[in-house]
């Protein structure tokens, strides 16, 4: 197919992007072939798509997704191990889980996410849905898949979305086991989180020994994989960076030593403000968090913000992800993470949008494929009525999503009213 998108205002995804009128975007099959001045004649054979003065910008890139979970609020902590056991119990429950994988990936795409990275899923199903979408047998974004992570007994997501390594040798064997399904990365659960903390003011307790972290990273790197790590304390960041982790997921208030390690190792901070916000800022009657969880949620929320600010100030790469699947973090709200980044970390709306598009794509190693509107790049873009550089909430309602050249007009997702109501208080 050949399509010419006309009568548009272009936001190209670059760091200092400004709205540009008077252009026509030519797309052939999956690629943007040319950006023409409006006065130049459109070649024959192109279907004209009149965008009626709307804004066209790159598709969003989400660096932190757990595909199997919905983000539905919970009145009490979910038993993840029990849920995964139920989901994989028999062919019928597996079929239902496969259906939900398809539903959630479609939801990500219809909300404007044209590429995401999964960082902990059930068994091999992340690579399964990645390959299904790539083959055109399911609808969804481009996926960099992580499959099962590696944790330790009593560690974060141990026994549900992560294997339990008891030694460096076992961690190496788990890396090899995960690699058999050809994922795109390896994920480690190095610290605990908010809900499994046992001390007020000390979330993110170190769970994984430096020896296990080092062994897993060395084996992953030997096999050609980057390593992402769940980390929510300064001690956890230090251990992760000293022993080979490539991306720090979530983060904590950094010390001078941590900032030096980020720079020395060439590591990346992936900020995830969405999951901590409900625990930190919601009324406990809404979040159902006890006093310790709320206090620790605030510690983590403030730590992620400070980590992002300090990394940016020291020229350390910062990416954005939602941690979709946590309570109140849905598959359709990447736009909120962009808004939180702007509001909480003090970056401009332009820089926030650049981070969620071109910068995130570059951090995934996909900068030559997607993330910006340029000739030769994949045709991954979204269309909205108003200018997101003036108001990022323009991204919550899209009139079009184009992924790898396939056009979705008036995309709709089924939203959770109770989630919308509470989160809208913090826009």
């Amino acid at each position: 197919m050949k399509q010419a998108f006309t009568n548009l205002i272009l936001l190209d995804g670059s760091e200092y992007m400004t709205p540009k009128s008077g252009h026509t975007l030519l797309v052939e099959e999956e690629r943007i072939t040319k950006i023409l001045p409006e006065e130049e004649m459109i070649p024959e054979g192109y279907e004209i798509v009149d965008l009626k003065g709307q804004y066209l910008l790159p598709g969003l890139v989400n660096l932190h997704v757990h595909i199997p979970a919905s983000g539905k609020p919970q009145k009490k902590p979910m038993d993840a191990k029990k849920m995964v056991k139920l989901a994989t119990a028999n062919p019928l429950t597996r079929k239902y889980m496969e259906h939900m994988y398809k539903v959630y990936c479609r939801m990500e795409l219809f909300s404007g996410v044209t590429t995401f990275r999964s960082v902990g899923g059930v068994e091999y199903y992340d690579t399964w849905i990645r390959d299904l979408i790539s083959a055109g047998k399911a609808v969804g974004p481009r996926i960099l898949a992580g499959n099962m992570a590696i944790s330790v007994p009593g560690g974060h997501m141990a026994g549900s979305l992560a294997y339990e390594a008891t030694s460096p040798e076992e961690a190496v064997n788990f890396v090899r086991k995960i690699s058999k399904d050809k994922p795109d990365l390896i994920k480690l659960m190095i610290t605990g989180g908010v809900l499994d903390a046992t001390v007020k003011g000390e979330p993110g307790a170190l769970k994984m020994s430096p020896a296990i972290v080092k062994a897993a990273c060395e084996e992953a790197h030997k096999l050609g994989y980057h390593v992402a790590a769940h980390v929510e304390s300064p001690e956890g960041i230090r251990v992760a960076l000293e022993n080979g982790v490539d991306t720090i997921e979530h983060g904590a208030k950094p010390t001078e030593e941590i900032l030096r390690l980020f720079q020395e190792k060439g590591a990346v901070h992936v900020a995830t403000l969405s999951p901590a916000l409900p625990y930190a800022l919601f009324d406990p009657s809404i979040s159902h968090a006890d006093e310790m969880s709320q206090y620790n949620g605030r510690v983590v929320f403030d730590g992620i913000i400070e980590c992002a600010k300090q990394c940016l100030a020291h020229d350390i790469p910062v990416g954005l992800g939602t941690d979709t699947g946590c309570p109140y973090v849905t598959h359709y709200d990447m736009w909120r993470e962009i808004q939180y980044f702007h509001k909480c970390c003090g970056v401009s709306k332009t820089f926030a949008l650049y981070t969620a598009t071109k910068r995130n794509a570059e951090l995934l190693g996909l900068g030559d494929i997607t993330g910006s509107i340029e000739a030769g790049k994949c045709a991954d873009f979204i269309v909205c009525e108003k200018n997101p550089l003036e108001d990022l909430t323009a991204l919550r309602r899209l009139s079009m999503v184009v992924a790898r050249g396939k056009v979705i007009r008036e995309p709709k997702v089924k939203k959770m009213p109770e989630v919308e109501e509470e989160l809208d208080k913090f826009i």
Side-chain angles (χ1 to χ4, degrees):
M1 291 181 63
K2 294 182 178 182
Q3 293 173 309
F5 295 84
T6 66
N7 194 12
L8 57 90
I9 303 172
L10 180 65
L11 299 174
D12 63 11
S14 59
E15 185 173 354
Y16 303 104
M17 70 182 107
T18 56
K20 297 176 182 177
S21 301
H23 293 85
T24 295
L25 196 72
L26 299 185
V27 172
E28 186 172 346
E29 299 298 341
E30 295 187 2
R31 298 284 164 189
I32 299 169
T33 56
K34 202 169 185 180
I35 302 174
L36 296 175
E38 202 170 55
E39 61 272 12
E40 191 170 323
M41 187 175 295
I42 297 170
E44 289 186 10
Y46 281 82
E47 174 194 354
I48 306 298
V49 182
D50 185 351
L51 296 183
K52 300 179 180 178
Q54 297 185 93
Y55 290 81
L56 183 150
L57 60 150
L60 307 179
V61 180
N62 189 341
L63 297 191
H64 197 114
V65 173
H66 298 282
I67 304 173
S70 68
K72 185 177 180 180
Q74 305 290 330
K75 290 186 177 181
K76 59 181 181 178
M78 181 183 65
D79 186 336
K81 191 180 293 188
K82 183 177 179 180
M83 292 296 291
V84 170
K85 186 176 181 180
L86 176 64
T88 57
N90 57 60
L92 183 61
T93 57
R94 284 180 179 271
K95 277 291 181 187
Y96 179 74
M97 181 175 63
E98 290 172 3
H99 168 70
M100 295 316 300
Y101 257 80
K102 293 176 182 178
V103 167
Y104 295 149
C105 286
R106 182 185 179 95
M107 193 176 287
E108 287 275 351
L109 180 63
F110 278 37
S111 68
V113 174
T114 54
T115 299
F116 73 72
R117 182 180 62 152
S118 71
V119 282
V122 177
E123 295 181 352
Y124 54 84
Y125 283 99
D126 286 14
T127 51
W128 169 81
I129 192 67
R130 175 200 67 189
D131 295 344
L132 213 61
I133 292 169
S134 182
K137 297 178 181 178
V139 176
R142 174 188 297 102
I143 298 175
L144 272 67
N147 280 351
M148 291 282 282
I150 300 172
S151 188
V152 293
H156 194 64
M157 304 309 292
S160 57
L161 304 185
Y163 296 116
E164 300 173 78
T166 59
S167 67
E169 293 76 20
E170 197 167 13
V172 167
N173 287 334
F174 280 134
V175 171
R176 292 171 182 167
K177 179 177 182 177
I178 295 166
S179 73
K180 289 180 180 178
D181 290 310
K182 296 182 172 33
D184 298 291
L185 68 143
I186 298 295
K187 172 78 178 291
L188 304 182
M189 303 293 192
I190 292 179
T191 74
V194 171
L195 295 182
D196 55 18
T198 57
V199 178
K200 185 177 179 179
E202 296 182 14
L206 184 65
K207 301 284 187 178
M208 185 175 284
S209 71
I212 290 179
V213 176
K214 183 177 182 180
C217 287
E218 286 180 349
E219 185 63 21
H221 292 157
K222 189 188 304 180
L223 295 173
Y225 297 114
H226 279 86
V227 179
H230 167 100
V231 183
E232 292 187 351
S233 66
E235 183 186 17
I237 296 180
R238 179 183 59 77
V239 168
L241 294 176
E242 285 180 342
N243 291 283
V245 166
D246 300 292
T247 64
I248 299 296
E249 312 293 315
H250 316 304
K253 186 176 180 179
T255 62
E256 286 187 12
E257 180 189 14
I258 284 171
L259 293 170
R260 177 185 60 78
L261 284 168
F262 262 114
Q263 293 172 325
E264 183 181 298
K265 304 293 185 179
V268 173
H269 174 224
V270 176
T272 58
L273 297 165
S274 296
L277 184 144
Y279 291 107
L281 304 184
F282 278 19
D283 186 288
S285 65
I286 300 297
S287 66
H288 303 289
D290 58 29
E291 182 187 357
M292 186 170 75
S293 293
Q294 184 174 39
Y295 188 92
N296 286 338
R298 185 78 209 205
V299 171
V300 170
F301 186 61
D302 291 345
I304 294 171
I305 292 169
E306 189 61 25
C307 194
K309 285 182 174 180
Q310 289 297 321
C311 283
L312 289 171
H314 288 81
D315 202 27
I316 295 163
V318 175
L320 284 183
T322 55
D323 202 3
T324 291
C326 293
Y328 289 95
V329 190
T330 71
H331 283 283
Y332 53 78
D333 270 348
M334 178 63 183
W335 73 268
R336 290 189 191 273
E337 185 70 26
I338 304 169
Q339 171 73 2
Y340 300 152
F341 190 47
H342 158 63
K343 186 175 179 180
C344 300
C345 297
V347 303
S348 69
K349 297 181 183 73
T350 303
F351 188 85
L353 191 56
Y354 152 72
T355 300
T357 54
K358 187 176 182 180
R359 188 58 168 151
N360 271 359
E362 290 171 343
L363 295 178
L364 290 180
L366 299 175
D368 59 339
I369 295 172
T370 191
S372 59
I373 307 299
E374 300 176 71
K377 294 280 186 79
C378 196
D380 295 332
F381 52 85
I382 57 179
V383 177
C384 56
E385 183 180 349
K386 296 180 180 179
N387 183 3
L389 299 187
E390 294 179 355
D391 183 358
L392 289 165
T393 64
L395 299 172
R396 76 187 299 173
R397 295 182 184 88
L398 304 177
S399 59
M400 183 179 292
V401 173
V402 178
R404 298 173 297 286
K406 295 181 181 177
V407 178
I408 302 161
R409 289 177 168 83
E410 301 298 333
K412 296 286 190 300
V413 296
K414 185 177 181 181
K415 299 184 178 182
M416 292 180 262
E418 69 274 26
V419 171
E420 297 289 287
E421 180 182 354
E422 293 305 322
L423 291 180
D424 280 355
K425 297 173 184 178
F426 300 93
I427 292 176

